[in-house]
Amino acid sequence: MSTPPVGTTAVAATSRGRFDAHEVRSRFPLLTARRERPLVYLDSAATSQKPESVLAAMDDYYRRYNANIHRGIYAIAEEATAAYEDARARLARFIGAPSREVIFTRNSTEAINLVAYAWGRWALKQGDAVVLTVMEHHSNLVPWHILAAERGIELRFIPVTDSGELQMEALPGLLADGRVRLVGVVHISNVLGTVNPVGEIARQAHAAGALALVDASQSVPHMPVDVKALGCDFLALTSHKMLGPTGIGALWARRELLEAMPPFLGGGEMIREVKLQGSKWNELPWKFEAGTMAIAEAVGLRAAVVFNEELGMERIFEHDRELARYALERMIEVPGVRILGPPAEKRGGVVAFELGEIHPHDVATVLDHHGIAVRAGHHCAMPLHDRLGVPASARASFHCYSVPGDVDALVEGLHHARKVFG
Ligand SMILES: Cc1ncc(COP(=O)(O)O)c(C=O)c1O
């Protein structure tokens, strides 16, 4: 039995014709809620807001067919199972993958840890090397640090240029000795907004006998992503940045790898048979989904995928980039602003910056007094900030509901911050 698609036609009206960000915004209750001063939300790279259709879908699940999945033989359990599996099918189609190859996790951090623990501990031995980049989020660094310390694995890094791009000419040298087993790279940097050439990196990795892992936390929510077109082997994503709920994300991996890898977590659901002295694993994808999964969140993620599809990922990307271009143009009007990262045509909807000598936390605090929410700090990318020679930065980031007026408010707020700090 399939669940009625609550809220699944939320943006049908905008699926053709011009992208109307004001109309899209009206579908996000948090952004339209009445409050003392209007909220200018510029922290979508940290987490996106959620449309009404996502909230309604989760509410509907809890009110109407809350039951555990894959177990019950009664109607609402079957309905919950169908909804959960349909979420997987829709997410898989969204990224151009077969359903069986999509594993639900808590978030992209857990997806990358799954690769490091299950694949890494099975496939890597002392003396092997893993190539990452200097612009990785901590979630694609720390799991490899843990593995490197445990197994004697060498970590190598693709450097970053002063303008915030990968120094691609270094990659052949990093791969040259044939010891590299995996190249892991962020698709869109959460600090610089740089869109990395992950297809070319995967091609070079394969030519050197290595696998390619893509951290798509910032790309799947903002642009069309097709795992086959990218040619990678593993891809991590997280729901809460793509208009879905927190608590769920996914790992996509090629079937042969998932078949060969041992499980990550053990327990209920991921087994076919258990004896006192051993157990046999379930088939894919459930082999990697131990215990009760995030069912309501899967239902919410399904609604988010539908929302994104109906809006059109090309148009979301174009919209985000257009806003980033406008932000770059307007922000340099403010004396002392220094933008991190590449020119507009090479980035997504993320703009990290410094404002003279003013600490980013102070900038964010002044902006907050104007109702403007930006992120300040190292954005979980300390090595990148070290490379750029800045301890921290402030960051404005956009999504489909962001409008040029948000950028105008930011610019006004930055002028005010300068006055406040003299
Ligand atoms: C590029 C990148 N990778 C990974 C993550 C981790 O996402 P999550 O905390 O949902 O696991 C983030 C979150 O900010 C990110 O921006």
Side-chain angles (χ1 to χ4, degrees), residues 45-47 106-112 135-140 186-191 215-219 236-241 246-249 375 379-380 395:
T47 198
R106 272 191 310 137
N107 45 37
S108 42
T109 302
E110 189 175 285
I112 295 168
M135 66 167 82
E136 295 310 305
H137 187 279
H138 295 166
S139 59
N140 197 24
V186 66
H187 196 174
I188 297 186
S189 161
N190 63 311
V191 178
D215 173 359
S217 307
Q218 299 288 350
S219 59
L237 63 87
T238 195
S239 149
H240 68 99
K241 296 183 200 290
T246 53
I248 190 163
R375 180 54 61 110
H379 320 301
C380 294
R395 180 187 71 188

Side-chain angles (χ1 to χ4, degrees), residues 1-9 51 53-58 60-61 64-65 78-94 104 239 242-245 248 294-310:
M1 192 188 301
S2 70
T3 305
V6 168
T8 51
T9 55
S53 58
V54 168
L55 306 180
M58 294 176 76
D60 182 51
Y61 163 73
R64 219 173 42 70
Y65 60 100
E78 285 175 2
E79 193 169 353
T81 302
Y84 179 81
E85 291 303 334
D86 190 50
R88 189 196 313 277
R90 278 170 184 266
L91 180 64
R93 192 184 66 180
F94 189 60
F104 281 130
S239 149
M242 53 188 288
L243 315 180
I248 190 163
I295 306 164
E297 289 74 9
V299 168
L301 173 56
R302 178 178 68 164
V305 167
V306 170
F307 190 99
N308 280 300
E309 276 176 349
E310 291 187 354

Side-chain angles (χ1 to χ4, degrees), residues 3-194:
T3 305
V6 168
T8 51
T9 55
V11 292
T14 58
S15 64
R16 283 172 292 278
R18 246 172 62 79
F19 184 107
D20 179 354
H22 288 279
E23 194 277 334
V24 171
R25 190 185 183 93
S26 72
R27 297 166 190 275
F28 288 75
L30 185 141
L31 296 173
T32 53
R34 280 178 173 276
R35 44 184 103 232
E36 249 170 63
R37 56 175 187 213
L39 172 66
V40 177
Y41 186 73
L42 291 174
D43 201 15
S44 292
T47 198
S48 65
Q49 295 304 337
K50 321 303 172 199
E52 183 64 52
S53 58
V54 168
L55 306 180
M58 294 176 76
D59 188 64
D60 182 51
Y61 163 73
Y62 276 126
R63 286 179 192 278
R64 219 173 42 70
Y65 60 100
N66 170 47
N68 214 330
I69 51 171
H70 301 141
R71 298 170 195 184
I73 311 176
Y74 48 91
I76 60 168
E78 285 175 2
E79 193 169 353
T81 302
Y84 179 81
E85 291 303 334
D86 190 50
R88 189 196 313 277
R90 278 170 184 266
L91 180 64
R93 192 184 66 180
F94 189 60
I95 58 169
S99 257
R100 193 174 280 263
E101 298 181 351
V102 171
I103 314 293
F104 281 130
T105 60
R106 272 191 310 137
N107 45 37
S108 42
T109 302
E110 189 175 285
I112 295 168
N113 273 276
L114 196 167
V115 178
Y117 277 81
W119 175 81
R121 277 165 183 72
W122 167 72
L124 300 185
K125 56 181 190 326
Q126 185 161 14
D128 286 342
V130 167
V131 170
L132 304 167
T133 84
V134 172
M135 66 167 82
E136 295 310 305
H137 187 279
H138 295 166
S139 59
N140 197 24
L141 288 172
V142 182
W144 304 109
H145 291 163
I146 296 170
L147 188 65
E150 196 182 298
R151 289 284 164 98
I153 286 152
E154 186 194 342
L155 299 182
R156 302 174 180 172
F157 297 92
I158 306 178
V160 167
T161 64
D162 289 342
S163 64
E165 290 172 67
L166 289 181
Q167 223 167 296
M168 285 295 289
E169 58 279 18
L171 184 55
L174 293 170
L175 294 170
D177 64 3
R179 284 172 46 206
V180 177
R181 298 282 166 260
L182 180 98
V183 180
V185 59
V186 66
H187 196 174
I188 297 186
S189 161
N190 63 311
V191 178
L192 305 163
T194 315

Side-chain angles (χ1 to χ4, degrees), residues 398-421:
F398 312 110
H399 214 305
C400 55
Y401 41 71
S402 309
V403 293
D406 294 339
V407 173
D408 298 335
L410 171 66
V411 168
E412 221 174 282
L414 293 177
H415 279 298
H416 186 72
R418 281 193 70 244
K419 277 196 205 116
V420 171
F421 290 98

